[in-house]
Amino acid sequence: MGWTRTATEVLHEGPFLSLRRDSVLRPDGSRGTYDHVTVEDGVRVVALDGKERVLLVEDDFYLQQRRVLHLPGGGAGGQDPRDAAARELREETGYVPGELRSLGVIDPLPSTTAARTHLFLATGLRSGPAHRDDTEIGMTVQWWEFTDAVEAVRAGRITEAGSVTALLLAASVTSS
């Protein structure tokens, strides 16, 4: 690969992430450091019903200082990504997928973290209770026409990386 880690220093350890500084040998042989964030992998779910509607959630995001419209999802929490996707969908929306199909995996911030986001298409939805955690208290669930959600990506209304990618991938899969 070209990069060699020779040491790691933990600069900060928190409940959801750690900040690390690696001593490295670069591909050209020179020595240096590389700071990066360690977080768990994430998941995003395009949940479609039989009427070509998609479930979206909207929530307050501290760093953006605004409400963000996005697909259900979150951290994998050490689970298999498929299991984590089903869990996140159920927790945030109350829906359980009958079928869960992988749309792929993305590296949303490859120079900042090795964490990946696993993308899924859920169909055959069954309703049940939502079980949100304390960080999701103000979250709302919305049904959107799938084509309107894809248009919201193009218009810049849906901007979260996993949601953008998953919606566009689902559009290419469902239109073929």
Side-chain angles (χ1 to χ4, degrees):
M1 193 266 311
W3 291 81
T4 304
R5 178 177 38 225
T6 59
T8 298
E9 175 187 4
V10 177
L11 303 176
H12 170 78
E13 188 77 42
F16 302 109
L17 65 84
S18 64
L19 176 59
R20 297 173 187 259
R21 175 167 293 146
D22 289 351
S23 297
V24 297
L25 288 175
R26 296 185 185 107
D28 67 0
S30 64
R31 295 188 178 278
T33 59
Y34 199 100
D35 294 349
H36 60 97
V37 176
T38 302
V39 295
E40 64 189 38
D41 282 359
V43 296
R44 286 286 176 226
V45 183
V46 178
L48 292 178
D49 70 3
K51 300 175 188 172
E52 291 302 309
R53 297 180 309 166
V54 63
L55 273 169
L56 295 174
V57 294
E58 190 172 37
D59 203 5
D60 297 312
F61 276 72
Y62 172 72
L63 292 176
Q64 284 69 26
Q65 289 294 296
R66 63 182 165 83
R67 289 186 66 75
V68 175
L69 185 64
H70 58 92
L71 292 170
Q79 285 183 294
D80 173 81
R82 183 174 303 279
D83 294 337
R87 175 185 47 78
E88 285 289 338
L89 180 62
R90 182 185 71 251
E91 287 177 358
E92 293 183 0
T93 70
Y95 284 88
V96 177
E99 183 179 344
L100 203 53
R101 174 179 167 191
S102 175
L103 291 170
V105 181
I106 61 171
D107 295 303
L109 295 166
S111 63
T112 304
T113 183
R116 307 183 88 198
T117 303
H118 302 264
L119 310 173
F120 293 92
L121 175 64
T123 55
L125 304 176
R126 298 181 318 271
S127 182
H131 300 286
R132 296 195 182 121
D133 65 33
D134 292 343
T135 65
E136 300 164 332
I137 297 292
M139 182 180 283
T140 59
V141 177
Q142 304 172 22
W143 280 106
W144 279 51
E145 295 296 324
F146 181 68
T147 55
D148 291 344
V150 172
E151 186 51 41
V153 167
R154 291 187 178 110
R157 180 143 186 239
I158 297 175
T159 58
E160 189 275 323
S163 298
V164 167
T165 307
L167 284 165
L168 295 177
L169 286 169
S172 70
V173 168
T174 59
S175 66
S176 55

